[in-house]
Each structure stands twice: as structure tokens, then as C-alpha cells.
Amino acid sequence: MKKHKTLILDSNTIRRLIGIKDAMKAIEKVFRYFGQGKTEMPPKIYIHLDKYKGDFRAMPAYVEGLKSSILKWVNVHPENKKKGLPTVMAIIILSDPRNGYPLCIMDGTYATALRTGAAGGIAAKYLARRDSRTLALLGCGAQAKTQLAALCEVFAIDKVNTWDIKRSQSLSFLKGIRALGLKTRISNSVRDCVKDCDIVVTTTPSRSPLVKLEWLKKGVHINAIGADAKGKRELDVRILKRAKIVVDSWEQASYSGEINVPLARGELSKKDIYADIGEIVTGKKKGRTSADEITLFDSTGLAVQDVAIADVIYRKAVEARAGKYVKFI
């Protein structure tokens, strides 16, 4: 670290510095801090841009155990694909909590995908059956890649079914993971995709249920990733009523997660939520307790996850002498 200068890190540099293994270690650790009450994290602040069919989100957080604090400014614009831009883009400012100095300004787009994938992998570690082998991916964008990478770190995944509203997206995704040597299949329907799968991952921007209860096998685990704003949902409410639901944060999930619409309609209540992920990772509550139960992780993405990832990236960059220093102040 150069005194009183700010490190600038772009996406390509970050990709060279960190992979899914490091991300998962960092995320599991920060979930533990979260469960121990050693973090400070207000709920996401949303700016809704209905005119542009998108939104901005501000995500501040501090993690005492890491002595790190961040602010992430992130957008979600689902129609960006038509413009050749990522659906999600982000910038992270990592600051020294001792004096507020901006230590690093980094691209947060890849970091966001990485930490969300890592969170799905850690949640499944505690909630999915240990013998899980088959995976269904609904939505084949950037998030599907990191979800798959994380799950392959935890389980001996040997078969992957994919479904995307655009078949070309599935084809592109499968081409990208060909080197993994997995059995893969493009499904013609959501039902065909999830049938007989041990783990189901949903990463779509849907605002109406895609997955029905009767299509799922006993003992399935679901990572519900796509619902990250008010009004979004991907699952039949009957799944939620049957499942052991673990949220990342009650405050965020109740507003913008998979549970937000059923809660607003009175179809679910807070008592139907089993735990948050911090309670599971710290052992305050047990994860999976039977082979046949349906488990569900409702992921909205926590700013403390961004602290964990940004902290690792920064430390690795300093060690590798990567990036560029500039004087702002």
C-alpha cells in the first residue's frame, strides 16, 4: 500500500487475482461474522428507474473482524443485453475505517457475480444433500457461471440441465463450461429442467412463478437468486410453504427477495422463515435435518459479502503489486 494514495483495480486485474475458492472462504467467514453480530449493514437503498426499466442500489457495510468497510454502487438493468452491456454493473469503494481514507476503488461487476455465486455454494454446503449430483440452472447468464463453479467445489456434480428463455443463451453457456467435462442438456421447458434434480438454481429476472412444487423431487435444495427487487419472484408459493426457508437477511429478503410477494399478499409470514444464513453457518440453527425435506436459500446479496470480497481482492492486489495508484485527496 502506498501512503495516501488510492489503488484502482479494473475487472481484468481482479479476475487474475481471485477465483471461486478464495471467494467461498471469504463468504463463509463473513457469514459467520454476520451470525455473531459483528457486522454493521443497513438494508440496501434503492432508486427505482421505472422509465429506464432498471434501478440503482447503494450498499454500505462494515465488518469488524476484517477491519474493512465498503460502499457499493450497483445497477440492475435487465434490458442492457440489447445494448451490449452487462445487466449488472458495480463499483466498490473500500475505505479504511480508522480514518475514512479510500484505500481502493475497484470494479464490482465481476466481484458481485463471484460473491453471489460463492454465497450460493456456501448455502448449499449447509442445506443441500451431501450426495447431490444433478443440477438445474434456470437462467444462463453471468450468475449461472459462478453458481456452477461454487457448487462444483462442494459437490461431485456430474450432470447439469439448463433452461433460458433464449436458447442461444443456453448454447453459449454450455460452450463456456465444456472443459469441465460435465453431462449437460438444454431443456425445452422449466419442468423438464428441474425434474429429478438434486439442486435447483434460479437466476432469472422473472416477476411470475416459473417453478411448480409438483415438478421437484424430494430432498431438493433451491438457491433462489433472481428475485432481488420488489415484485420479483421465480417460485410457486406452494414451494415456499413446504420448504425450510433460509434468507440471507430478513430485512432485505422481506422487501426484495423471493419471499417478498407472498409476504405482501399475506400468503407467508415471518414465522414461516426458518433462519438467516448467519444462524446456519454459526450453528445457532441446524441446516438440513432430513433427506426428504425441501430447503431454500433466498439470496438478495448482502453488503457484508462485498466487504469480504473487496478485502481479499485488495490484499491480494497489494501483495501482487497489481493495479494503479492515484492521489485523490
Side-chain angles (χ1 to χ4, degrees):
M1 181 181 71
K2 296 185 179 181
K3 190 174 182 180
H4 304 316
K5 286 192 175 182
T6 302
L7 182 61
I8 307 296
L9 296 172
D10 63 19
S11 178
N12 288 335
T13 302
I14 291 170
R15 288 174 185 271
R16 292 194 296 268
L17 290 171
I18 186 171
I20 196 65
K21 287 184 180 181
D22 288 327
M24 291 178 71
K25 289 178 183 177
I27 294 304
E28 187 166 19
K29 181 187 291 187
V30 86
F31 279 161
R32 189 167 287 112
Y33 286 139
F34 180 59
Q36 293 168 344
K38 296 180 179 179
T39 64
E40 185 172 348
M41 181 187 66
K44 290 180 189 178
I45 300 167
Y46 283 80
I47 297 177
H48 297 284
L49 306 168
D50 294 338
K51 179 180 178 181
Y52 303 108
K53 299 181 181 179
D55 62 63
F56 284 116
R57 305 160 194 200
M59 300 173 65
Y62 168 64
V63 178
E64 171 62 29
L66 299 176
K67 297 293 188 291
S68 290
S69 185
I70 65 97
L71 171 65
K72 185 169 80 169
W73 181 243
V74 58
N75 76 292
V76 177
H77 283 69
E79 295 192 356
N80 269 3
K81 290 180 182 179
K82 300 175 184 177
K83 307 170 186 176
L85 290 171
T87 299
V88 177
M89 293 179 283
I91 293 291
I92 297 173
I93 303 172
L94 175 70
S95 299
D96 188 333
R98 297 170 299 179
N99 53 34
Y101 193 84
L103 298 172
C104 185
I105 298 174
M106 66 180 74
D107 171 77
T109 305
Y110 176 65
T112 296
L114 196 64
R115 62 79 151 150
T116 308
I122 296 303
K125 173 182 173 181
Y126 289 88
L127 296 172
R129 291 172 55 144
R130 297 303 304 163
D131 61 352
S132 295
R133 297 289 184 271
T134 56
L135 171 64
L137 294 172
L138 302 179
C140 294
Q143 189 47 233
K145 297 175 184 176
T146 54
Q147 290 287 325
L148 174 61
L151 291 168
C152 284
E153 289 293 324
V154 182
F155 304 96
I157 300 295
D158 58 21
K159 182 181 178 183
V160 178
N161 293 344
T162 66
W163 175 88
D164 194 283
I165 197 167
K166 294 182 179 179
R167 186 176 178 84
S168 60
Q169 189 74 25
S170 288
L171 288 168
S172 178
F173 175 78
L174 293 183
K175 183 179 179 180
I177 66 167
R178 188 176 297 162
L180 297 177
L182 301 169
K183 296 177 184 176
T184 60
R185 181 167 63 90
I186 297 176
S187 304
N188 293 321
S189 66
V190 172
R191 179 177 184 172
D192 184 46
C193 186
V194 303
K195 184 179 62 176
D196 297 327
C197 283
D198 300 315
I199 299 175
V200 173
V201 179
T202 62
T203 62
T204 78
S206 180
R207 289 182 173 270
S208 59
L210 297 173
V211 186
K212 294 186 177 182
L213 175 64
E214 58 267 26
W215 299 345
L216 299 173
K217 69 179 293 185
K218 289 183 180 179
V220 69
H221 170 67
I222 304 168
N223 278 343
I225 310 297
D228 59 356
K230 192 173 182 179
K232 287 187 176 182
R233 60 189 309 202
E234 299 176 287
L235 306 176
D236 179 350
V237 69
R238 292 177 299 155
I239 296 173
L240 301 177
K241 289 181 176 180
R242 178 76 63 85
K244 174 182 281 185
I245 301 173
V246 175
V247 297
D248 51 9
S249 157
W250 162 254
E251 288 78 13
Q252 287 191 183
S254 60
Y255 176 78
S256 61
E258 183 62 42
I259 62 174
N260 86 89
V261 174
L263 283 172
R265 293 180 175 180
E267 297 169 325
L268 287 179
S269 67
K270 191 172 184 179
K271 66 180 178 59
D272 295 311
I273 311 307
Y274 174 70
D276 68 44
I277 191 64
E279 292 175 304
I280 299 297
V281 173
T282 56
K284 293 178 182 178
K285 291 187 178 180
K286 293 182 179 180
R288 175 172 290 270
T289 54
S290 77
D292 289 344
E293 68 181 334
I294 295 174
T295 54
L296 167 64
F297 177 51
D298 186 353
S299 172
T300 59
L302 304 183
V304 294
Q305 295 169 229
D306 297 304
V307 177
I309 289 296
D311 181 74
V312 171
I313 291 170
Y314 176 67
R315 293 178 189 279
K316 285 182 173 291
V318 171
E319 183 180 347
R321 298 184 179 181
K324 178 182 178 181
Y325 284 93
V326 298
K327 188 170 179 64
F328 279 125
I329 297 171

